[in-house]
Amino acid sequence: MTMASESRDTSWRPAEPALSVRQVLTLERVLAGEPEVVAGADGLDRAVRWVHVAEAADVGVMLSGGEMVLTTGVLLAGDEAKQAAYIQSLHRAEAAAVVLGLGRAFPTPPEVMRRAAERCGLPLVVLHRPFPFAELTEEVQSRLVRRKFAAVSLSEAVRTSLTALITSGAPLQRLLDEVAQHSGCPVVLTNLAHRVLATAGERPAVDDVLRDWERIARQAGGSEGDGWVRAELGGRGERWGRLLLCGYRGDSATGRLLADRAAEALVLHRMLGGASGRTWEEQSAHGLLTDLASGTVPARHLLPRARAAGLPVNRRTFVPLVVPGAEPERLDRVLRTLGLTGLVAELADGATAVLLSLARDQDAEALTGRLAARLRTPELPDAVVAAAGPRTCWDDVPAGLREARHVADAVAGAALDRPAVVRLRDVHLRGLIRLLRDDPQVQSFAERELDGLLGGGEGELLDVLRTYLATGRNKSRTAQLHHVSRPALYRRLEAIQRRLGIDLDDFEQAASVHIALLAHDAQQG
């Protein structure tokens, strides 16, 4: 048993690539026999696994299921009991259909067989013109063999390509893109709560699926059909996800093989931890928040994706936050403790982004304060939450995330005793410098003002200057924070003034050096 199949729904029985009864009846050679469905029309979509020519009355004992049985009924003529038993025997053997050639034995469709077939739902087809059964057998068998070979080739190609991607450390999205390329339809990965973790495929088609996701999610655990193929993901007796091929246009058996190969690869990818080390849920939140913040994808195009990921979006207030140095798992726990709903994702620099989704009547500022208070512990007494202003329109969320990121960037390395929640209005000059840090003229200014302290071995003096200016030129506080005496601090300040050629008691000169130091720290950070 494969890893992906350990927890698969056993109500579905795997089948080899097959033609349906309906498809067989549209073949040119069959049409020449003028076929007519006289019973069991609801079963025309049954898969034909093989074609079997048999005249024996007890042919059912020789079948294994899925066969289309061809007969002239010569051994059944004149015996209605045998005719009814014949149909019952085929039904018990799970035959796909029975095709009766009209002629000497049965010049017209036999009523007993028709009624019996209708009762048990077995398609009964009669051929009004003489027809060489050998031609139909040859045609169908060759098509089945070609389909089976093509399906197996596709299965192996998918297995090989996905294994190569896993071996090379490819991320989850790359695997799903490969599956979508082979399937030619949208691919959706969900958790057991039907929340979308990742998608792949052509963007318009994926968006169509996500827009209707609530209905699709309700049906995701039901029967397959109309090109919807699912594969359960799990191992060691535990399920933890589902893969969906949405609107697969090939035959169902080939779609099943493709889904199974993809599921096996995804389970292996998850067991190995993936390329990023993040869980799939974390990767999903990270991808959505990154796309929102970057602005490369319009926010309105990401709305179905956010809704499918389980984020409430209708008539909500959105609060973008960035928490430097916080672990996503810890933030998730705090959100659950406070009963808050949101997406959490770790950013590239170690900070964690949070997008809260609040009801319109909830106090965004108060809840943000409660979140920040929960994060401050004896181990992390200086934890800070960089918060953007609440947004009531989804289209404004990207700007909010960028604002929160800017605030978090601005408070990095700021003075001690920062408030638990910092907003744009709190970052003042530091925020402006962060915005201008990559300007070549600002860089030249910083190097020119700090030239005497930027050489090797002057890090201690630079730290003293940073603290002195950040505390508002408070000598007592600076000496306390650096654990030195006041005379020792005075000597250090004199050395700084001598090296920079300035007077720190002069407000303008001190302000100039302070700005240069903020620019230097912003460039370094």
Side-chain angles (χ1 to χ4, degrees):
M1 180 178 292
T2 64
M3 290 177 290
S5 65
E6 288 184 15
S7 56
R8 186 179 303 147
D9 183 356
T10 56
S11 63
W12 181 87
R13 194 174 82 174
E16 295 177 351
L19 295 166
S20 67
V21 175
R22 192 187 307 276
Q23 288 173 316
V24 171
L25 297 182
T26 61
L27 297 178
E28 185 176 350
R29 291 186 181 182
V30 179
L31 291 174
E34 297 181 8
E36 178 188 1
V37 180
V38 297
D42 291 341
L44 292 180
D45 291 320
R46 290 181 175 184
V48 177
R49 190 179 58 81
W50 208 243
V51 178
H52 192 71
V53 181
E55 300 292 352
D58 59 349
V59 65
V61 299
M62 297 181 286
L63 305 180
S64 58
E67 294 89 352
M68 174 179 278
V69 177
L70 312 180
T71 183
T72 61
V74 65
L75 299 182
L76 305 175
D79 191 330
E80 293 186 349
K82 280 188 176 181
Q83 294 169 24
Y86 181 80
I87 295 296
Q88 287 296 329
S89 175
L90 294 179
H91 172 61
R92 287 192 298 270
E94 299 183 352
V98 58
V99 178
L100 175 65
L102 300 182
R104 184 175 59 184
F106 291 103
T108 60
E111 186 62 20
V112 172
M113 293 179 69
R114 190 197 67 77
R115 288 198 303 269
E118 192 65 47
R119 282 195 299 272
C120 63
L122 176 68
L124 172 60
V125 182
V126 298
L127 300 176
H128 290 277
R129 293 176 61 87
F131 185 85
F133 286 166
E135 291 186 10
L136 174 57
T137 302
E138 179 184 5
E139 175 78 8
V140 175
Q141 313 298 47
S142 63
R143 286 175 180 263
L144 289 175
V145 169
R146 288 199 298 271
R147 280 173 172 249
K148 183 176 180 180
F149 178 76
V152 172
S153 297
L154 174 62
S155 172
E156 289 307 308
V158 171
R159 188 200 299 271
T160 299
S161 61
L162 293 180
T163 300
L165 289 173
I166 293 172
T167 302
S168 66
L172 170 66
Q173 187 61 52
R174 182 67 187 86
L175 270 66
L176 293 178
D177 289 341
E178 187 74 11
V179 176
Q181 182 177 349
H182 284 287
S183 66
C185 68
V187 176
V188 177
L189 178 67
T190 75
N191 61 14
L192 293 182
H194 306 304
R195 292 187 175 182
V196 174
L197 303 179
T199 62
E202 294 184 2
R203 196 73 259 161
V206 171
D207 289 343
D208 286 343
V209 170
L210 295 184
R211 271 190 289 270
D212 200 24
W213 184 250
E214 289 185 7
R215 179 187 64 81
I216 293 170
R218 288 195 299 270
Q219 299 175 352
S223 59
E224 299 175 348
D226 298 328
W228 294 82
V229 186
R230 74 179 186 277
E232 304 295 337
L233 306 177
R236 301 182 180 91
E238 180 184 5
R239 288 192 307 158
W240 34 256
R242 178 177 289 118
L243 178 73
L244 283 173
L245 305 185
C246 306
Y248 179 70
R249 295 183 179 180
D251 65 82
S252 59
T254 302
R256 165 55 56 194
L257 283 172
L258 178 56
D260 283 349
R261 296 295 84 77
E264 290 171 0
L266 293 176
V267 170
L268 179 59
H269 184 272
R270 180 173 174 121
M271 290 175 62
L272 294 177
S276 66
R278 301 189 185 104
T279 67
W280 288 353
E281 289 79 6
E282 291 169 349
Q283 291 181 55
S284 173
H286 179 269
L288 179 55
L289 290 180
T290 299
D291 287 346
L292 276 169
S294 69
T296 55
V297 181
R300 64 182 180 276
H301 292 170
L302 296 171
L303 186 60
R305 185 169 150 197
R307 184 184 291 113
L311 185 73
V313 295
N314 295 331
R315 296 187 58 79
R316 306 289 287 187
T317 296
F318 303 101
V319 184
L321 309 171
V322 171
V323 187
E327 296 179 351
E329 296 82 1
R330 183 167 178 239
L331 273 165
D332 268 327
R333 290 195 298 271
V334 172
L335 291 186
R336 288 195 295 270
T337 300
L338 296 176
L340 298 177
T341 301
L343 297 176
V344 179
E346 185 177 7
L347 304 176
D349 60 358
T352 298
V354 181
L355 179 61
L356 295 180
S357 175
L358 307 178
R360 290 286 173 87
D361 59 353
Q362 290 182 288
D363 188 331
E365 188 164 344
L367 289 172
T368 302
R370 290 178 60 191
L371 171 63
R374 288 271 184 170
L375 291 175
R376 285 200 163 180
T377 63
E379 294 77 22
L380 292 172
D382 299 318
V384 63
V385 173
R391 264 65 176 175
T392 56
C393 177
W394 176 257
D395 287 344
D396 295 335
V397 169
L401 285 168
R402 290 192 290 272
E403 178 184 316
R405 185 67 182 270
H406 167 61
V407 172
D409 199 24
V411 299
L416 302 178
D417 303 323
R418 296 170 297 186
V421 179
V422 182
R423 305 181 186 278
L424 187 61
R425 62 176 179 265
D426 301 318
V427 298
H428 306 298
L429 179 61
R430 185 179 295 273
L432 176 63
I433 295 299
R434 288 278 168 168
L435 289 175
L436 299 175
R437 63 183 171 183
D438 293 326
D439 187 298
Q441 295 186 43
V442 173
Q443 294 174 0
S444 297
F445 168 76
E447 291 177 4
R448 183 170 63 251
E449 290 291 299
L450 300 174
D451 182 58
L453 295 179
L454 295 181
E458 306 302 335
E460 182 184 359
L461 292 180
L462 204 61
D463 287 342
V464 170
L465 176 62
R466 184 180 293 110
T467 304
Y468 180 63
L469 295 174
T471 59
R473 296 184 292 177
N474 186 318
K475 294 183 176 66
S476 297
R477 179 64 172 153
T478 302
Q480 180 184 10
L481 290 173
H482 283 269
H483 307 290
V484 297
S485 65
R486 290 284 293 269
L489 175 65
Y490 293 156
R491 288 193 293 273
R492 286 171 171 76
L493 292 176
E494 289 171 0
I496 291 171
Q497 293 180 103
R498 186 171 57 255
R499 288 174 180 272
L500 297 182
I502 63 168
D503 179 5
L504 288 174
D505 290 330
D506 182 278
F507 176 79
E508 185 175 338
Q509 294 183 52
S512 181
V513 172
H514 193 185
I515 292 171
L517 186 56
L518 289 176
H520 169 76
D521 289 346
Q523 294 157 13
Q524 297 301 311

PDB file of all heavy atoms in Angstrom, residues 179-190:
ATOM      1  N   VAL A 179       1.976  19.158 -11.336  1.00  0.00           N
ATOM      2  CA  VAL A 179       0.737  18.370 -11.405  1.00  0.00           C
ATOM      3  C   VAL A 179      -0.273  19.062 -12.316  1.00  0.00           C
ATOM      4  O   VAL A 179      -0.937  18.421 -13.140  1.00  0.00           O
ATOM      5  CB  VAL A 179       0.150  18.162 -10.000  1.00  0.00           C
ATOM      6  CG1 VAL A 179      -1.190  17.428 -10.084  1.00  0.00           C
ATOM      7  CG2 VAL A 179       1.116  17.367  -9.134  1.00  0.00           C
ATOM      8  N   ALA A 180      -0.402  20.376 -12.181  1.00  0.00           N
ATOM      9  CA  ALA A 180      -1.346  21.127 -13.006  1.00  0.00           C
ATOM     10  C   ALA A 180      -0.965  21.064 -14.478  1.00  0.00           C
ATOM     11  O   ALA A 180      -1.837  20.991 -15.351  1.00  0.00           O
ATOM     12  CB  ALA A 180      -1.401  22.587 -12.539  1.00  0.00           C
ATOM     13  N   GLN A 181       0.321  21.062 -14.756  1.00  0.00           N
ATOM     14  CA  GLN A 181       0.767  20.980 -16.145  1.00  0.00           C
ATOM     15  C   GLN A 181       0.381  19.647 -16.759  1.00  0.00           C
ATOM     16  O   GLN A 181      -0.056  19.575 -17.906  1.00  0.00           O
ATOM     17  CB  GLN A 181       2.282  21.190 -16.213  1.00  0.00           C
ATOM     18  CG  GLN A 181       2.842  21.169 -17.629  1.00  0.00           C
ATOM     19  CD  GLN A 181       4.336  21.447 -17.665  1.00  0.00           C
ATOM     20  OE1 GLN A 181       4.920  21.845 -16.675  1.00  0.00           O
ATOM     21  NE2 GLN A 181       4.956  21.229 -18.806  1.00  0.00           N
ATOM     22  N   HIS A 182       0.519  18.566 -15.996  1.00  0.00           N
ATOM     23  CA  HIS A 182       0.165  17.238 -16.509  1.00  0.00           C
ATOM     24  C   HIS A 182      -1.350  17.046 -16.594  1.00  0.00           C
ATOM     25  O   HIS A 182      -1.834  16.371 -17.505  1.00  0.00           O
ATOM     26  CB  HIS A 182       0.762  16.149 -15.618  1.00  0.00           C
ATOM     27  CG  HIS A 182       2.230  15.940 -15.812  1.00  0.00           C
ATOM     28  ND1 HIS A 182       2.759  15.313 -16.926  1.00  0.00           N
ATOM     29  CD2 HIS A 182       3.299  16.272 -15.044  1.00  0.00           C
ATOM     30  CE1 HIS A 182       4.069  15.260 -16.833  1.00  0.00           C
ATOM     31  NE2 HIS A 182       4.433  15.840 -15.703  1.00  0.00           N
ATOM     32  N   SER A 183      -2.082  17.625 -15.648  1.00  0.00           N
ATOM     33  CA  SER A 183      -3.532  17.392 -15.607  1.00  0.00           C
ATOM     34  C   SER A 183      -4.301  18.339 -16.514  1.00  0.00           C
ATOM     35  O   SER A 183      -5.412  18.026 -16.944  1.00  0.00           O
ATOM     36  CB  SER A 183      -4.052  17.528 -14.175  1.00  0.00           C
ATOM     37  OG  SER A 183      -3.910  18.867 -13.711  1.00  0.00           O
ATOM     38  N   GLY A 184      -3.721  19.518 -16.776  1.00  0.00           N
ATOM     39  CA  GLY A 184      -4.415  20.481 -17.617  1.00  0.00           C
ATOM     40  C   GLY A 184      -5.641  21.085 -16.969  1.00  0.00           C
ATOM     41  O   GLY A 184      -6.551  21.548 -17.665  1.00  0.00           O
ATOM     42  N   CYS A 185      -5.695  21.088 -15.643  1.00  0.00           N
ATOM     43  CA  CYS A 185      -6.843  21.650 -14.936  1.00  0.00           C
ATOM     44  C   CYS A 185      -6.371  22.248 -13.616  1.00  0.00           C
ATOM     45  O   CYS A 185      -5.253  21.974 -13.173  1.00  0.00           O
ATOM     46  CB  CYS A 185      -7.901  20.567 -14.680  1.00  0.00           C
ATOM     47  SG  CYS A 185      -7.399  19.296 -13.494  1.00  0.00           S
ATOM     48  N   PRO A 186      -7.193  23.064 -12.967  1.00  0.00           N
ATOM     49  CA  PRO A 186      -6.806  23.616 -11.668  1.00  0.00           C
ATOM     50  C   PRO A 186      -6.569  22.518 -10.636  1.00  0.00           C
ATOM     51  O   PRO A 186      -7.289  21.516 -10.606  1.00  0.00           O
ATOM     52  CB  PRO A 186      -8.004  24.485 -11.271  1.00  0.00           C
ATOM     53  CG  PRO A 186      -8.639  24.856 -12.558  1.00  0.00           C
ATOM     54  CD  PRO A 186      -8.456  23.660 -13.449  1.00  0.00           C
ATOM     55  N   VAL A 187      -5.556  22.715  -9.796  1.00  0.00           N
ATOM     56  CA  VAL A 187      -5.212  21.780  -8.731  1.00  0.00           C
ATOM     57  C   VAL A 187      -5.319  22.536  -7.411  1.00  0.00           C
ATOM     58  O   VAL A 187      -4.798  23.643  -7.291  1.00  0.00           O
ATOM     59  CB  VAL A 187      -3.786  21.234  -8.921  1.00  0.00           C
ATOM     60  CG1 VAL A 187      -3.390  20.345  -7.751  1.00  0.00           C
ATOM     61  CG2 VAL A 187      -3.685  20.470 -10.232  1.00  0.00           C
ATOM     62  N   VAL A 188      -6.010  21.942  -6.448  1.00  0.00           N
ATOM     63  CA  VAL A 188      -6.228  22.596  -5.154  1.00  0.00           C
ATOM     64  C   VAL A 188      -5.800  21.654  -4.040  1.00  0.00           C
ATOM     65  O   VAL A 188      -6.177  20.483  -4.032  1.00  0.00           O
ATOM     66  CB  VAL A 188      -7.709  22.981  -4.963  1.00  0.00           C
ATOM     67  CG1 VAL A 188      -7.924  23.601  -3.582  1.00  0.00           C
ATOM     68  CG2 VAL A 188      -8.149  23.951  -6.045  1.00  0.00           C
ATOM     69  N   LEU A 189      -5.003  22.175  -3.114  1.00  0.00           N
ATOM     70  CA  LEU A 189      -4.588  21.429  -1.933  1.00  0.00           C
ATOM     71  C   LEU A 189      -5.288  22.024  -0.723  1.00  0.00           C
ATOM     72  O   LEU A 189      -5.255  23.242  -0.519  1.00  0.00           O
ATOM     73  CB  LEU A 189      -3.069  21.534  -1.765  1.00  0.00           C
ATOM     74  CG  LEU A 189      -2.457  20.854  -0.536  1.00  0.00           C
ATOM     75  CD1 LEU A 189      -2.585  19.342  -0.632  1.00  0.00           C
ATOM     76  CD2 LEU A 189      -0.991  21.248  -0.384  1.00  0.00           C
ATOM     77  N   THR A 190      -5.958  21.193   0.072  1.00  0.00           N
ATOM     78  CA  THR A 190      -6.689  21.685   1.240  1.00  0.00           C
ATOM     79  C   THR A 190      -6.298  20.896   2.481  1.00  0.00           C
ATOM     80  O   THR A 190      -5.715  19.814   2.392  1.00  0.00           O
ATOM     81  CB  THR A 190      -8.212  21.544   1.055  1.00  0.00           C
ATOM     82  OG1 THR A 190      -8.600  20.159   1.221  1.00  0.00           O
ATOM     83  CG2 THR A 190      -8.643  22.005  -0.327  1.00  0.00           C
TER      84      THR A 190
END
